[in-house]
């Protein structure tokens, strides 16, 4: 009796956690893979310097470039331009690609900086 | 060098203490005390040395150059000690070693001390694997300085308290294994383990709560918890330590629970090490907002983790037959059953957090790396937390009388915390552009943005708001170059909750960059600039210290020569904006070519202009958030009260 109780509880928990997990897992993909996927994904890339990032209202637009292939993709971030965005050497965008407007809609951005500290790098 | 030698001394003594304790059944208590004190002495001296190096601005040490600078205020040099990974490991080790010395004075069994000093040796290895005393390959005259975000009172107390919690969790682990090795069936270790686990739980909890309060009040992350791996990695051991605590208490009355208590002690401590591995090995580099990137000691920590987990479980398994057997509980109404069920729910929550934070690692092993979004944690844990709350209320009604005063306070605190988490999340959030001195109505409150006020040294400024007639100021720390470095939110506290205004980076589009060529004239639209000359100051070893330019500014009638500089720092250089032309201009030198023929000058908006600029802010209400701070204070207070002997 006791064992059955425990087993039911454990199985229920595993099923429940597994279901939630399957729903919210976001794989880490390249830009090409992000374009092909309709699920939530994470894309890492560099800032595409040929496109000037713009903040319009509470949406932030920029272009992400794949480090390996050089492929670029427009990104709309649902929020304000993050701090240290300009100093970022890597940007991780988390969200979904929409084929309709050929844009990646990011819910979250992670900014990777070479240094979060003093000043800019001058060329001496 | 001296630092590493001191650590070596600490390691030798810790190993000696371990061998004596494990090899001899009853070692001379005096010898063990002396060796433990020697080890702690060496390690503490090494720590003091690091502080001295920080105070003396000894930039020949890489760690000092990376986390301190000559301009860093003295008070922050104390906390620069644990600003980086190497230093924070040393802090952990120091606390561990001091606790170890205390243990030798408290009738701790020799075997338990042996295990404890084994862990102490492992920690010294971890510090030495990436030593804070490593010397800098290049000669530098100015350090990078402490991240302005970390130049804060809370930085001074948050990490040490967390590490006290981590260090103290080694005690129940050592007591459990020590006891298994010598007299497995005995329950004599439980009372001592109860006290240390309570202390560990209280400190770790306090550290986590202070971190949350810091994130909320100062860092302006918009909330107190973000399910970041670094946060999760301290939450999981805290949840498991709660399980351990309850199992220890149960085992004192029910011998059959002993096995579970041993397993919990091993799992709790190995998750402390696991969390360290996950957040410090660099494998989460792309998944965490905390910036511990790319370090090479992952393998060392992984081995330490394997040692704790596999070693602990092997000993438990080997001694399992000697552990008391029997029925855990007779009926489902019994308090034992209810507490065990509560523990199981805590383990479920811990497992969910563990899976979430480990996803990048687990998925990397099978193939494509993946992470979970923060919804996963909230969605998965909330029904379990609800069940836990219901169970706690039921237990209170039925068995409340037998719970000690401290226990009552802590449990009520925990329940109140769950309630506060839910209530405080029911606020509104609006992101909006604010014009100076324009009244707006947001989330039911009248808000007037009054503009920015700069401090004289230009290292700090305030965003000033008038909220419902009250003035609230939000501090922003500035970098040397005048950019925003750390932006604190403005918070108006009320009984009904906080009004929380987090400013975003001002959109400065009026920064103009001029590329100047020596002797040639350039215009910024109104004024003319001539780059006259530049020189670089070198040290005795022919390394550049700073670059200075001479630039003439003129409006056709009046001319002024300015001398902006760039100071060389380990990661490039830093330069400060200077006022020119009687406050009509602010300029900053951002680059000089190697042949001194070209210079890059930034024309920045003047402070008057800046302070009048519209800004965008996220305004939110946090209903009854004070209940959260009150409830977590109750948890810690109750826990500490419960340490007293019952």
């Amino acid at each position: 009796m006791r064992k059955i109780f425990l087993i039911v509880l454990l199985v229920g928990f595993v099923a429940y956690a597994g279901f939630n997990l399957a729903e919210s897992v976001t794989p880490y993909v390249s830009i090409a893979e992000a374009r092909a996927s309709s699920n939530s994904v994470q894309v890492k890339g560099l800032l595409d310097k040929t496109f000037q990032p713009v903040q319009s209202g509470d949406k932030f637009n920029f272009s992400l470039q794949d480090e390996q292939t050089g492929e670029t993709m427009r990104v709309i971030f649902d929020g304000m331009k993050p701090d240290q965005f300009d100093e970022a050497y890597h940007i991780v965008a988390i969200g979904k690609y929409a084929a309709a407007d050929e844009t990646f809609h990011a819910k979250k951005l992670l900014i990777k900086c070479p240094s979060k500290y003093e000043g800019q790098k001058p060329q001496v | 060098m001296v630092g590493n030698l001191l650590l070596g001394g600490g390691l030798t003594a810790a190993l000696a203490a371990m061998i004596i304790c494990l090899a001899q059944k009853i070692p001379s208590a005096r010898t063990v005390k002396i060796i433990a004190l020697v080890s702690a002495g060496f390690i503490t001296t090494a720590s003091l040395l690091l502080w001295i190096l920080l105070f003396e601005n000894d930039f020949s040490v890489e760690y000092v150059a990376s986390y301190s600078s000559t301009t860093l205020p003295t008070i922050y040099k104390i906390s620069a000690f644990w600003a980086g990974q190497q230093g924070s490991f040393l802090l952990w080790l120091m606390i561990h070693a001091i606790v170890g010395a205390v243990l030798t004075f408290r009738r701790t069994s020799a075997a338990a001390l042996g295990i404890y000093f084994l862990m102490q040796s492992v920690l010294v290895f971890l510090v030495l694997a990436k030593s804070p005393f490593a010397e800098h390959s290049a000669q530098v005259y100015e350090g990078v300085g402490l991240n302005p975000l970390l130049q804060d009172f809370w930085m001074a107390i948050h990490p040490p308290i967390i590490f006290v919690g981590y260090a103290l969790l080694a005690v129940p682990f050592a007591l459990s294994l020590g006891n298994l090795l010598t007299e497995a069936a005995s329950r004599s270790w439980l009372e001592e383990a109860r006290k240390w686990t309570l202390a560990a739980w209280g400190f770790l909890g306090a550290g986590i709560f202070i971190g949350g309060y810091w994130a909320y009040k100062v860092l302006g992350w918009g909330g107190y918890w973000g399910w970041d791996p670094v946060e999760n990695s301290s939450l999981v051991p805290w949840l498991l330590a709660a399980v351990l605590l309850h199992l220890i208490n149960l085992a004192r009355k029910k011998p059959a629970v002993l096995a579970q208590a041993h397993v919990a002690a091993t799992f709790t401590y190995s998750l402390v090490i696991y969390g360290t591995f996950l957040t410090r090995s660099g494998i989460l580099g792309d998944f965490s907002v905390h910036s511990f990137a790319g370090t090479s000691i992952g393998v060392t920590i992984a081995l330490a983790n394997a040692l704790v987990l596999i070693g602990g479980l092997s000993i438990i398994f080997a001694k399992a037959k000697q552990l008391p057997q029997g029925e855990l509980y007779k009926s489902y109404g019994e308090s034992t059953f209810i507490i065990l069920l509560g523990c199981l729910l805590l383990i479920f929550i811990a497992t969910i957090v563990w899976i979430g934070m480990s996803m990048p690692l687990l998925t990397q092993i099978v193939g494509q790396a993946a992470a979970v979004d923060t919804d996963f944690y909230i969605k998965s844990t909330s029904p379990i937390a609800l069940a836990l709350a219901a169970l706690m209320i039921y237990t209170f009604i039925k068995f409340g009388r037998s719970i000690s005063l401290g226990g009552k306070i802590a449990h009520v605190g925990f329940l109140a915390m769950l309630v506060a988490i839910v209530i405080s999340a029911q606020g509104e959030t609006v992101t909006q552009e604010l014009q100076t001195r324009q009244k707006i109505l947001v989330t039911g409150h009248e808000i007037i943005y009054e503009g920015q006020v700069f401090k004289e040294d230009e290292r700090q400024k305030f965003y000033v708001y008038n909220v419902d007639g009250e003035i609230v100021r939000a501090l922003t720390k500035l970098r040397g170059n005048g950019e925003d470095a750390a932006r604190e939110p403005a918070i108006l506290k009320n009984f009904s909750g906080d009004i929380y205004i987090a400013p975003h980076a001002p959109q400065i589009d009026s920064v103009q960059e001029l590329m100047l060529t020596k002797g040639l004239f350039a215009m910024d639209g109104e004024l003319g600039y001539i780059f006259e000359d530049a020189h670089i100051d070198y040290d005795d070893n022919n390394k550049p210290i700073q670059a200075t330019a001479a630039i003439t500014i003129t409006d056709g009638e009046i001319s002024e020569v300015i001398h902006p500089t760039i100071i060389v720092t380990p990661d490039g250089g830093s330069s400060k904006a200077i006022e020119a032309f009687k406050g009509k201009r602010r300029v900053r030198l951002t680059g000089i070519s190697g042949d001194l023929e070209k210079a890059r000058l930034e024309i920045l908006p003047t402070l008057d202009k800046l302070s009048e600029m519209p800004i965008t802010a996220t305004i939110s209400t946090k209903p009854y958030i004070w209940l959260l701070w009150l409830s977590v204070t109750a948890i810690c207070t109750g826990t500490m009260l419960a340490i007293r002997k019952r």
Side-chain angles (χ1 to χ4, degrees):
Chain A
M1 185 61 197
R2 197 165 296 144
K3 283 216 170 108
I4 291 171
F5 180 85
L6 196 67
I7 289 166
V8 168
L9 209 60
L10 281 176
V11 168
F13 169 72
V14 168
Y16 174 70
F19 174 75
N20 276 330
L21 191 66
E23 255 198 347
S24 50
V25 80
T26 51
Y28 204 28
V29 300
S30 68
I31 286 184
E33 288 167 305
R35 281 214 165 94
S37 168
S38 56
N39 296 323
S40 194
V41 292
Q42 318 210 11
V43 201
K44 179 172 151 187
L46 308 165
L47 181 66
D48 170 14
K49 304 269 187 201
T50 60
F51 181 86
Q52 180 69 32
V54 271
Q55 177 81 47
S56 57
D58 54 1
K59 300 265 190 285
F60 178 60
N61 296 271
F62 65 98
S63 174
L64 200 66
Q65 184 167 35
D66 198 300
E67 223 176 332
Q68 261 100 50
T69 62
E71 184 181 358
T72 62
M73 173 175 75
R74 285 283 297 278
V75 181
I76 292 183
F77 169 54
D78 199 7
M80 303 299 295
K81 175 180 170 180
D83 288 355
Q84 293 140 348
F85 183 85
D86 298 322
E87 300 148 43
Y89 74 96
H90 274 147
I91 299 160
V92 180
I94 304 165
K96 274 182 196 171
Y97 182 77
D101 56 358
E102 294 184 350
T103 305
F104 189 81
H105 294 260
K107 279 197 299 182
K108 199 173 163 192
L109 294 180
L110 295 178
I111 306 298
K112 298 281 136 191
C113 296
S115 162
K116 289 190 168 182
Y117 312 108
E118 295 279 310
Q120 274 185 341
K121 282 192 181 181
Q123 305 151 346
V124 176
Chain B
M1 191 63 204
V2 180
N4 286 343
L5 283 177
L6 287 168
L7 289 174
L11 176 63
T12 315
L15 284 171
M18 175 192 91
I19 292 165
I20 291 175
C21 287
L22 289 181
Q24 290 171 262
K25 277 237 163 64
I26 306 151
S28 146
R30 240 188 100 207
T31 319
V32 177
K33 271 180 205 170
I34 290 169
I35 299 176
L37 282 173
V38 167
S39 180
F42 269 122
I43 291 163
T44 312
T45 313
S47 307
L48 289 176
L49 178 67
L50 183 59
W51 262 309
I52 291 170
L53 293 171
L54 282 163
F55 276 103
E56 287 185 342
N57 296 316
D58 190 338
F59 299 130
S60 67
V61 175
E62 198 170 346
Y63 191 79
V64 178
S66 304
Y67 296 102
S68 187
S69 68
T70 53
T71 53
L72 188 68
T74 311
I75 182 94
Y76 298 129
K77 286 192 174 156
I78 298 173
S79 45
F81 184 104
W82 47 79
Q85 165 167 309
Q86 301 94 313
S88 54
F89 272 158
L90 181 57
L91 174 72
W92 180 1
L93 170 65
M94 178 173 72
I95 299 167
H96 185 103
I98 293 169
V99 171
V102 171
L103 280 179
T104 59
F105 285 86
R106 289 181 63 92
R107 262 185 268 157
T108 316
S109 78
L113 285 176
I115 301 286
Y116 193 88
F117 289 117
L118 169 65
M119 290 325 298
Q120 188 158 320
S121 315
V122 169
L123 285 176
V124 186
F125 262 117
L126 282 182
V127 176
L128 282 173
K130 197 153 188 281
S131 171
F133 298 105
E135 275 169 28
H136 211 296
S137 49
Q139 196 170 7
V140 285
Y141 291 88
E142 182 54 300
V144 177
L146 188 61
N147 183 340
L149 271 177
L150 304 181
Q151 295 185 26
D152 193 272
F153 164 73
W154 299 101
M155 172 61 186
I157 59 169
H158 166 64
I161 292 177
I162 289 267
F163 284 116
V164 169
Y166 283 178
L168 292 180
L169 280 176
V171 183
F173 171 72
L175 290 172
S176 143
L177 292 190
N179 201 79
L180 280 172
L181 286 175
T182 46
E183 32 178 359
S186 151
R187 289 184 287 155
S188 57
W189 62 286
L190 290 169
E191 172 54 24
E192 188 73 357
R194 184 187 76 86
K195 287 182 184 160
W196 286 100
T197 312
L198 273 170
W201 199 68
F203 271 101
L204 190 53
I208 293 171
F209 303 145
I210 288 170
Y213 185 71
W214 184 20
Y216 177 82
K217 182 160 186 317
V218 178
L219 303 181
W221 292 356
Y224 50 83
W225 194 259
W227 299 104
D228 187 84
V230 173
E231 296 169 337
N232 292 340
S233 69
S234 55
L235 176 64
V236 172
W238 185 68
L239 291 169
L240 283 178
V243 172
L244 172 62
L245 210 46
H246 287 88
L247 293 178
I248 286 173
N249 272 336
L250 274 186
R252 298 205 304 158
K253 287 170 235 139
K254 297 247 174 183
V257 185
L258 204 54
Q260 280 88 335
H262 281 300
V263 173
T266 286
F267 265 99
T268 305
Y269 194 58
S270 61
L271 277 153
V272 168
I273 313 272
Y274 176 78
T276 312
F277 163 70
L278 206 62
T279 54
R280 306 302 174 99
S281 64
I283 50 168
L284 290 183
D286 293 319
F287 299 94
S288 165
V289 294
H290 284 72
S291 55
F292 297 114
T295 56
S296 50
I297 59 166
V299 179
T300 322
I301 312 179
L303 286 174
N305 198 2
L307 174 75
V308 170
L309 186 63
I310 298 170
L313 290 180
S314 312
I315 294 173
I316 296 169
F317 192 72
K319 301 282 179 172
K321 283 207 180 108
Q322 294 175 38
L323 290 172
Q325 314 285 323
E327 256 190 335
L328 292 174
Y329 47 89
K330 290 192 179 67
S331 72
Y332 291 153
E334 218 180 303
S335 67
T336 309
F337 171 75
I338 292 173
I339 293 170
L340 284 175
L341 186 60
C343 286
L344 192 63
L345 293 178
L346 279 172
I347 293 170
F348 282 174
I349 297 177
T351 309
I352 286 170
V353 181
W354 185 87
I355 291 173
M357 73 179 196
S358 307
M359 266 321 260
L361 177 66
L362 299 176
T363 47
Q364 257 172 54
I365 296 170
V366 260
Q368 193 179 33
V372 296
D373 52 41
T374 50
D375 288 351
F376 167 72
Y377 298 103
I378 300 163
K379 241 181 358 193
S380 311
T381 57
S382 36
I384 304 172
L386 190 70
L388 190 64
L391 196 67
M392 282 172 75
I393 293 168
Y394 172 76
T395 316
F396 246 99
I397 295 166
K398 219 172 159 198
F399 309 103
R401 246 168 294 159
S402 62
I403 302 172
S404 73
L405 177 68
K408 276 192 186 113
I409 296 175
H411 282 90
V412 170
F414 193 89
L415 273 172
M417 177 184 79
L418 294 179
V419 172
I421 288 172
V422 175
I423 292 179
S424 66
Q426 307 305 315
E428 291 173 73
T429 301
V430 177
T431 298
Q432 178 161 357
E433 192 179 62
L434 305 173
Q435 304 286 340
T436 46
R437 284 179 289 284
Q438 230 172 64
K439 191 184 280 181
I440 53 161
L441 201 67
V442 192
T443 64
H445 298 276
E446 239 175 45
I447 295 170
I448 306 166
Y449 170 55
E450 305 273 9
Q452 300 178 40
V453 177
F454 287 83
K455 275 213 167 173
E456 264 172 29
D457 62 358
E458 287 186 35
R459 292 308 294 258
Q460 286 189 341
K461 67 175 179 185
F462 295 94
Y463 291 90
V464 184
Y465 305 88
N466 181 326
V467 184
D468 296 335
E470 279 192 64
I471 296 289
V472 273
R473 309 199 305 166
L475 171 72
T476 289
K477 292 176 193 160
L478 304 174
R479 282 167 214 272
N481 62 22
E483 286 167 11
D484 291 12
R487 226 172 284 124
E488 295 183 9
I491 303 173
L492 180 70
K493 290 177 193 289
N494 277 324
F495 175 75
S496 61
D498 288 359
I499 299 150
Y500 190 95
I501 309 174
H504 294 284
Q507 306 280 324
I508 306 173
D509 40 28
S510 47
V511 174
Q512 195 182 347
E513 213 175 55
L514 287 182
M515 288 301 295
L516 303 172
T517 308
K518 206 175 201 171
L520 292 183
F521 185 83
M523 289 279 288
D524 71 355
E526 195 184 339
L527 299 179
Y529 297 78
I530 305 160
F531 175 33
E532 307 282 0
D533 199 7
H535 67 272
I536 294 176
D537 295 321
Y538 293 93
D539 66 11
D540 303 337
N541 299 321
N542 227 15
K543 291 259 169 63
I545 305 169
Q546 62 172 20
T548 310
I551 296 166
T552 304
I553 307 182
T554 176
D555 63 356
E557 287 167 21
I558 314 164
S559 296
E560 184 185 323
V561 184
I562 54 163
H563 298 278
T565 59
I566 300 175
I567 296 165
V568 179
T569 58
D571 67 340
S574 82
S575 58
K576 222 180 133 174
I578 57 172
E579 295 254 339
F581 232 73
K582 299 191 189 84
K584 271 179 90 176
R585 282 290 180 279
R586 268 171 80 238
V587 298
R588 187 162 81 92
L589 186 66
T590 56
I592 285 184
S593 65
D595 58 4
L596 305 180
E597 286 299 314
K598 283 191 161 55
R600 196 171 60 209
L601 196 67
E602 255 180 25
I603 319 291
L604 303 159
T606 60
L607 296 184
D608 287 344
K609 214 168 161 189
L610 273 180
S611 66
E612 292 295 317
M613 269 191 337
I615 55 152
T616 307
T618 298
I619 302 159
S620 49
T621 51
K622 315 279 181 189
Y624 303 98
I625 187 93
W626 53 266
L627 182 60
L628 184 64
W629 316 134
L630 186 69
S631 62
V632 296
T633 312
I635 293 177
C636 297
T637 315
T639 308
M640 291 306 166
L641 276 177
I643 296 178
R644 283 179 319 167
K645 198 169 183 182
R646 281 195 278 173

